[in-house]
Amino acid sequence: MAVVAQRPHALRDIPLHYCPGCTHGISHRLVAEVLDELGIEGETIGISPVGCSYNNYDYFNCDMVQAAHGRAPAVATGVKRSLPDSVVFTYQGDGDLAAIGTAEIVHAAARGENITVVFINNTIYGMTSGQMAPTTLISQVTTTSPYGRNAKDHGNPIRICEMLATLQGPAYIERVSLHDIKHIRQAKKALTKAFRLQREKRGFTLVEMLSTCPTNWGLDPVESMNRVKNEVIPYYPLGVFVDCEKEG
Amino acid sequence: MGEKLLMKGNEVIAEAALRAGCRHYFGYPITPQTEIAHYMARRMPQVGGVFMQAESEVAAINMVYGAAAAGKRVMTSSSSPGISLKQEGISYAVGARLPAVVVNIMRAGPGLGGIQPAQGDYFQAVKGGGHGDYKLITLAPSSVQELYEMTVEAFNLADKYRGVVMILGDGMLGQMMEVVQFRDEEPISEPAKPWAATGTGMKREHNTITSIHLDPSVLEHWNDERQNQYRVIEEMEQRFELYNTDGADVILVAYGSVARIARNVIKAAEREGIRLGLLRPITLWPFPTHAFEHVMPQAKAFLVLEMSAGQMLEDVRLTVEGRRPVFFHGRMGGMIPTVKDIMREVHEIIGTREE
């Protein structure tokens, strides 16, 4: 009998703690599949963030280092500069990466730090129960923007890929979405390329994944996927922002 | 015998770290310790090491966290305001049980303060500094020679106890030039680090470096283990110097560069026929309580000297426990205590006791 589906080796056999309909499960699996397929699990060190996925060190089978809120790119820098032949990735949410960790992500990107960043953008703080994130859309209701985000009081949502794409350091930056099968396949391609480029020591790579948070959005899983498609993607357009293989 | 060189304190710290096997340094410029970074920037590429100027002290300490997690001997250095910024990372490193060396060449505060020498970060260094219950072994060198020897020792202690060790100096020590006698070979003791995140190589279970334990009973147990370890350190690692204490009525208590001034006070007092002694803590944590028991039988009073409002003073009082009077003389803002001012205090103390 042929095996048609199985758990990736890089993903440990432990039930995930995420809410029903949350896409962390998908993005975890994609990372694990890429580690398997590129055969790099044994040389990989992952950096866990602060946020809902703080304990993904329990889920991945590679060595893992848990970082302070927003500091994952600095921790990853310390690991990578110590072990230049290893594969190092950070897994960060939008509060972690785009608010408290803005300095760290910008400078890691500017240095062309040879790491891969998996950036989960669900337009909200999940773990602390639904506060406004730097990525929260205008008019989106959160526990700290209960009347809806407005630009005058709260500023505008930050497009991280576009911002980092202005730098010279990044080798590859792509924004993908996890709202349907077709887009999940594209996300896998983007992740595979990012890790491959890191192994080739091409520089900083980042894949932003538009993700869901049904619990804090107050939507069911299907409605959440539809929100990504109909409301989130129009503000955060999908696509490749930097690709070192297509330049010069 | 190794080389004998005239060197600046800050540069000796950097050289000592290299000799101790440190090949990873992450820092951010701040006066009066920046020569450490300059030295590392120059030497690290020559020895195949990593020097990185981070985007902030916050990033630098987290890079230290990463390199320590990867099992490397690693150091950062800064001065008071920068050390405040590193406190988050220091707490995390302790929480994740990562060995690292942090150098604080103190300047005057609070706030941006000034750039002249001070000892106002004593509490921050020895009482924790960041959040949570933890201690840093804190070494207080008093000469350029000691900056060398204690920097090497700091790496050994960090590895021995899997914790962060702080070297607490001040701008006077960092900026002064003195002769330093290097050893031919350093007494390096670096245990294996099977816990490090270096990649499993598909040959072992994965390693996890983390400081989070959401189960209160687990976290309390973790803390109990640290506290038990701290009791061992308090017993085993106290370091101090007693100078001229035999037959001395008044014992001066001073560390770091102020201890050098205290020696001059002892000489000045001798010329007046007054015998003073010096109790010099070398480890600020663990505080050298044993030293006080040595001198307690004969000491009639203690005079604590600091470049602060009186921080170590509290530990002296806790140790003396009211058995003897404890006096204090301190300067702040980057001002340095003078022999003359201290002698005035000595006269007052002796006068008081004669009444």
Side-chain angles (χ1 to χ4, degrees):
Chain A
M1 260 198 309
V3 176
V4 292
Q6 65 181 344
R7 176 182 293 277
H9 186 272
L11 200 60
R12 300 175 77 210
D13 190 7
I14 292 176
L16 304 180
H17 71 288
Y18 302 112
C19 304
C22 167
T23 46
H24 268 311
I26 297 171
S27 39
H28 280 33
R29 183 175 174 106
L30 292 181
V31 171
E33 284 182 359
V34 171
L35 297 186
D36 274 20
E37 288 166 21
L38 296 179
I40 54 175
E41 180 195 315
E43 63 203 71
T44 296
I45 296 113
I47 315 296
S48 307
V50 169
C52 289
S53 54
Y54 78 95
N55 65 336
N56 63 12
Y57 52 72
D58 281 336
Y59 303 142
F60 291 115
N61 233 337
C62 55
D63 278 357
M64 297 293 292
V65 180
Q66 209 281 328
H69 201 24
R71 315 300 176 216
V75 172
T77 298
V79 173
K80 187 73 181 198
R81 296 284 176 135
S82 299
L83 305 166
D85 293 327
S86 64
V87 173
V88 178
F89 75 91
T90 73
Y91 186 103
Q92 302 177 259
D94 43 358
D96 190 89
L97 183 144
I100 196 167
T102 321
E104 283 78 9
I105 194 66
V106 167
H107 286 275
R111 286 191 303 267
E113 210 62 55
N114 194 34
I115 60 174
T116 298
V117 175
V118 182
F119 173 34
I120 305 299
N121 179 359
N122 60 5
T123 77
I124 206 158
Y125 283 77
M127 192 196 211
T128 47
S129 69
Q131 291 80 19
M132 184 178 71
T135 46
T136 293
L137 296 177
I138 295 295
S139 83
Q140 186 178 338
V141 171
T142 72
T143 50
T144 50
S145 58
Y147 308 108
R149 179 176 193 168
N150 71 78
K152 181 172 160 286
D153 293 330
H154 310 124
N156 285 289
I158 297 175
R159 294 184 180 100
I160 287 290
C161 289
E162 288 84 339
M163 188 173 86
L164 296 181
T166 65
L167 301 167
Q168 300 303 303
Y172 180 66
I173 294 180
E174 180 169 352
R175 182 182 290 123
V176 298
S177 174
L178 302 178
H179 73 276
D180 65 21
I181 302 294
K182 182 181 147 211
H183 286 88
I184 291 170
R185 283 178 188 273
Q186 179 54 36
K188 170 90 175 281
K189 273 189 201 156
L191 257 190
T192 305
K193 181 162 178 173
F195 276 96
R196 175 174 62 75
L197 289 171
Q198 182 188 163
R199 283 195 91 194
E200 294 168 6
K201 298 191 161 79
R202 301 292 288 272
F204 180 88
T205 53
L206 179 145
V207 178
E208 174 175 345
M209 299 186 171
L210 299 181
S211 302
T212 63
C213 183
T215 301
N216 289 300
W217 289 358
L219 300 175
D220 70 29
V222 174
E223 289 167 347
S224 296
M225 296 301 192
N226 288 333
R227 175 175 185 261
V228 171
K229 181 179 164 192
N230 300 324
E231 294 176 40
V232 181
I233 292 177
Y235 188 84
Y236 294 109
L238 306 183
V240 177
F241 296 88
V242 177
D243 185 349
C244 62
E245 291 186 319
K246 289 209 174 119
E247 289 158 10
Chain B
M1 290 281 269
E3 291 171 292
K4 195 171 186 178
L5 297 173
L6 180 68
M7 283 182 78
K8 196 175 200 174
N10 283 335
E11 295 188 332
V12 165
I13 295 171
E15 176 61 27
L18 293 171
R19 286 170 183 257
C22 170
R23 291 292 178 272
H24 295 79
Y25 172 91
F26 304 90
Y28 186 85
I30 182 169
T31 306
Q33 62 77 49
T34 312
E35 292 86 357
I36 300 174
H38 296 173
Y39 197 90
M40 289 300 200
R42 200 163 62 241
R43 290 280 293 132
M44 277 300 191
Q46 296 171 345
V47 297
V50 172
F51 163 83
M52 186 178 289
Q53 180 171 329
E55 60 269 28
S56 68
E57 284 93 346
V58 175
I61 190 69
N62 281 284
M63 291 172 186
V64 166
Y65 180 102
K72 302 299 184 186
R73 280 200 155 176
V74 57
M75 181 171 95
T76 187
S77 62
S78 191
S79 179
S80 309
I83 294 293
S84 294
L85 282 167
K86 289 183 196 291
Q87 292 301 334
E88 176 200 47
I90 293 172
S91 173
Y92 274 71
V94 171
R97 299 216 57 204
L98 294 175
V101 174
V102 176
V103 179
N104 181 3
I105 300 299
M106 289 181 283
R107 56 190 255 182
L112 204 45
I115 57 170
Q116 297 301 320
Q119 295 179 324
D121 304 348
Y122 177 93
F123 283 151
Q124 190 190 46
V126 308
K127 306 293 182 188
H131 57 285
D133 281 299
Y134 72 87
K135 297 284 191 183
L136 306 182
I137 294 179
T138 304
L139 304 175
S142 183
S143 65
V144 173
Q145 183 69 32
E146 280 192 350
L147 282 174
Y148 158 51
E149 290 167 15
M150 286 184 198
T151 300
V152 175
E153 180 69 356
F155 283 96
N156 288 341
L157 288 168
D159 280 334
K160 181 175 180 185
Y161 294 106
R162 272 187 74 180
V164 177
V165 174
M166 179 168 281
I167 296 168
L168 194 67
D170 61 62
M172 202 182 333
L173 272 179
Q175 295 297 323
M176 78 170 47
M177 289 186 82
E178 272 186 328
V179 169
V180 54
Q181 171 71 61
F182 289 104
R183 293 172 285 228
D184 280 331
E185 207 174 318
E186 302 304 332
I188 291 173
S189 148
E190 188 175 5
K193 298 174 180 175
W195 46 264
T198 54
T200 63
M202 308 303 277
K203 289 180 187 132
R204 58 161 168 79
E205 280 289 296
H206 78 159
N207 283 341
T208 297
I209 307 288
T210 185
S211 67
I212 189 169
H213 308 280
L214 289 183
D215 179 337
S217 64
V218 171
L219 185 51
E220 185 182 50
H221 177 68
W222 187 95
N223 271 287
D224 282 339
E225 284 184 340
R226 287 293 71 62
Q227 294 303 317
N228 291 338
Q229 185 189 39
Y230 294 159
R231 299 297 86 78
V232 171
I233 293 172
E234 282 169 343
E235 205 46 48
M236 305 298 293
E237 304 295 351
Q238 290 189 18
R239 274 151 229 200
F240 57 85
E241 182 195 3
L242 296 177
Y243 171 70
N244 209 46
T245 50
D246 288 345
D249 287 345
V250 178
I251 306 289
L252 307 177
V253 187
Y255 70 93
S257 46
V258 178
R260 303 166 70 102
I261 300 166
R263 285 174 204 274
N264 290 337
V265 173
I266 289 168
K267 277 186 205 136
E270 247 165 24
R271 286 194 290 271
E272 296 183 22
I274 302 167
R275 191 170 171 87
L276 301 175
L278 170 65
L279 188 164
R280 178 169 74 92
I282 293 173
T283 52
L284 300 179
W285 190 85
F287 193 67
T289 53
H290 299 163
F292 286 83
E293 301 313 319
H294 272 290
V295 299
M296 199 65 77
Q298 87 210 18
K300 297 202 173 71
F302 293 93
L303 172 57
V304 181
L305 307 171
E306 292 181 73
M307 289 191 290
S308 78
Q311 299 193 13
M312 180 175 69
L313 172 65
E314 293 192 4
D315 282 334
V316 174
R317 284 182 174 149
L318 285 168
T319 307
V320 173
E321 288 185 303
R323 288 175 285 176
R324 300 289 183 277
V326 176
F327 299 90
F328 175 71
H329 178 76
R331 297 296 299 270
M332 290 177 284
M335 297 300 287
I336 293 165
T338 64
V339 173
K340 199 175 150 196
D341 287 345
I342 298 167
M343 277 307 294
R344 194 177 303 131
E345 298 277 351
V346 169
H347 284 300
E348 249 179 63
I349 293 166
I350 292 171
T352 307
R353 294 202 56 77
E354 281 168 352
E355 278 165 12

